[in-house]
DNA sequence: GATGAATGAGCATTCATTCAT
DNA sequence: AATGAATGAATGCTCATTCAT
């Protein structure tokens, strides 16, 4: 799994990249229902080539998910040791929401994935939630975040907000204002409600 | 031929109900991609019977959506003239969240509706958002809700939370805690930001 | 087959007539592909009632064909003993063509009937061709019609003309001019061609 | 990658030809109502292969029509400048009738086209009638054809005869005798009517 | 490796026919 | 008798996957 095993990667690598790009765009634009033929067409390759790189539709989708998630995961890991735990969590949440707004793509697929492909994708996303759990725990320990919620709650609201921004972005919702609601809601509650 | 409004609806009504129930469950479990044959099978009828009651897939979906939305719409309308505007909005939000938690079904379809079927369903949901907009405006006027958000923002967060509860309910998210985040996030901001 | 066997014919007869009328119109307008439900709807009865009167689609079609053919058959039989055999044949041909033009309906179905329902309808039309054969033989014997054709040829041209008038009537073909070609073509050939 | 215009068309071309052949036979035998699955089955391919070559039923039908019509159209065009205009028209009519007799297939579809698929097929046939119109006009100008008919009339009779030969060929109609009727009917009328 | 043709199960929808009321 | 609901096989078409070239 470690060693680069094969030589001719010049064009193969290029095709793989094109396919991932095309798949990203297509999933973002049409959802999971786009046909693989359409993705291959957009990438300028034959469906057989797509199959060679990604033996099933789910494998392709998962690769796309990985491509999106891996940088986020790295960022979350880097924040593990930030000084200000509360700021770290808010920074990461902001990063997620900004991503969802600007990339305007398959964050939603990451968050939901319907009941259709699931399994492997779910495994892939689990790592992300785990990192967020860490950030939440530290932020709660530092007093920056209310104590009466747990990682499941945060995960729920956060993926919900991501999904919502995807669906409502073109309808006037402002990511920053949406974020403000979330941010204030996560703060420790003042004396009384 | 005399006065009973409809004669042999006994079985027809029963099949219609069974179909709606099966569709509700199936859409909730598998999303919009469930096949009509599968829904018919679950309802114990032939595909032709499904067709008789709901001539297109969209018609079936819309019937399911209506069944869920109509009572909510009625409730929202009833709250229009509540004395305490802030309490009215929170009550309705709580109602929505409770629904999503207990019915555990296609609130998500209502909230997202994907890019797939749209038209009529969109029209149907528009009415709901309109009512919520009313409640929000009054709550803001009364000072119970922060001023720096508009209906699009609320809609986004709210549908996000609903979606989230649907996807994460079985993963331990607690509706009341999730709701608490939303509730506190909607309050007017204290002195500092 | 002779005695009227059942009493309650008042409304039953009326339904039967309505169904035949609706079927006639529907076949004429849409061809054989109209659904029986559509015909029943047009007749203002339920599909079960249609079925009671005509147990298969073919039975209905055949009844319609009979209704059209029987008067024509009677007319042909009446012409069998006409004094002027040539005039008799031309008169009958004219009658057919006029029918096709004014009724603008399922003469074509009679003539073609595709490869779909056939058998029984073919049997039904055979009687008509037989009568025409009689008229042709007599006309040829009297010298009014060329000798070098037989009933199969006449049948072919005649049904072709009927079909054609149905399809081309709205495109400017004039039944009388079309008929003139046929009439002159049937005459005995002058000395040389 | 070098210069052969198309690489693996060997099998594709063969399947396409098989499909056209199967479609031709099937349409001729059963009319437009044959199912595409049946045609695919007869051609020995899956329905998806049929779809790849002809994406709709109409596209398949039109391909079949073109295959028949294009040579006829070319021939008609070639006759436009013939010396003897009357002979040219008769030659073309003979060609049509011969075709209908030997190919024994979907000339009728061409002539009628039903009320079912239309559009593109209609456009395709229009060109043929236009050419025939040319030949008719010239033949009338030269005195070889009666003056009291127009292209619509000729079209009607001609397609009628084609249809008739299709339906009655196996019943003994002789193309040459049928043709004789048409030919003599088209001649200028002698002294008396 | 790449191509794109082939496959065949599957989908939404239709409709002739049957049957409970 | 009549009704209209139910049936289920069939249709045109789609698409993930496989395979010959």
């Amino acid at each position: 799994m470690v060693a680069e095993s094969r030589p001719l990667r010049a064009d193969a690598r290029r095709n793989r990249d094109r396919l991932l790009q095309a798949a990203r765009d297509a999933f973002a634009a049409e959802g999971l229902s786009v046909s693989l033929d359409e993705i291959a067409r957009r990438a300028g390759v034959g469906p057989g080539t797509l199959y060679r790189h990604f033996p099933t539709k789910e494998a392709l989708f998962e690769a796309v998910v990985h491509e999106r998630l891996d940088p986020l995961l790295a960022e979350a890991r880097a924040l593990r040791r930030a000084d200000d735990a509360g700021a770290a969590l808010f920074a990461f949440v902001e990063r997620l929401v900004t991503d969802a707004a600007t990339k305007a793509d398959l964050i939603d697929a990451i968050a939901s994935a319907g009941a259709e492909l699931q399994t492997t994708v779910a495994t892939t996303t689990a790592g992300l939630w785990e990192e967020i759990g860490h950030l939440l725990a530290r932020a709660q320990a530092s007093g920056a975040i209310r104590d009466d919620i747990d990682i499941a709650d945060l995960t729920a609201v956060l993926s919900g907000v991501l999904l919502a921004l995807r669906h409502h972005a073109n309808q006037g919702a402002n990511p920053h204002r949406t974020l403000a609601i979330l941010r204030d809601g996560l703060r420790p509650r003042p004396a009384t409600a």
Side-chain angles (χ1 to χ4, degrees), chain A:
Chain A
M1 285 294 180
V2 199
E4 307 85 322
S5 32
R6 292 177 194 88
L8 310 205
R9 271 211 287 261
D11 58 333
R13 177 81 213 165
R14 203 171 137 212
N15 274 341
R16 199 189 133 92
D17 289 347
R18 276 193 192 174
L19 281 165
L20 273 177
Q21 173 72 34
R24 193 159 49 232
D25 296 350
F27 286 140
E30 327 266 327
L32 279 169
S33 61
V34 264
S35 79
L36 296 185
D37 279 14
E38 170 68 12
I39 291 174
R41 208 182 50 68
R42 288 194 195 198
V45 306
T49 302
L50 196 169
Y51 177 71
R52 165 165 285 269
H53 288 289
F54 308 97
T56 65
K57 191 176 197 175
E58 182 165 11
L60 173 60
F61 183 60
E62 180 151 20
V64 168
V65 168
H66 261 296
E67 218 191 15
R68 278 292 183 232
L69 244 50
D70 289 349
L72 288 173
L73 252 178
E75 188 153 343
R77 277 202 197 96
L79 288 169
R80 271 202 186 199
R81 282 175 204 82
D83 288 337
D84 183 337
L89 177 63
F90 283 131
F92 189 64
V93 165
E94 178 131 21
R95 168 67 199 276
L96 279 179
V97 170
T98 304
D99 245 51
T102 59
K103 307 270 177 67
D105 70 338
L106 57 143
I107 292 292
D108 59 344
I110 296 168
S112 76
E116 330 205 10
L117 297 173
Q118 284 189 330
T119 15
T120 19
V121 174
T123 312
T124 304
T125 55
L128 185 64
W129 300 133
E130 197 184 320
E131 288 304 322
I132 295 179
H134 257 282
L135 296 179
L136 173 65
R138 287 190 64 230
Q140 284 177 321
S142 80
I145 294 289
R146 60 198 297 168
D147 261 336
D148 60 343
I149 62 171
D150 64 18
I151 175 60
D153 300 317
L154 177 57
T155 293
V157 194
L158 196 45
S159 56
V161 166
L162 294 175
L163 281 167
L165 283 174
R166 162 94 160 88
H167 288 302
H168 292 271
N170 350 3
Q171 292 173 44
N174 178 321
H176 287 89
R177 289 192 310 236
T178 306
L179 196 52
I181 299 174
L182 181 57
R183 179 190 295 261
D184 292 344
L186 291 175
R187 290 247 167 70
R189 306 164 76 192
T192 42

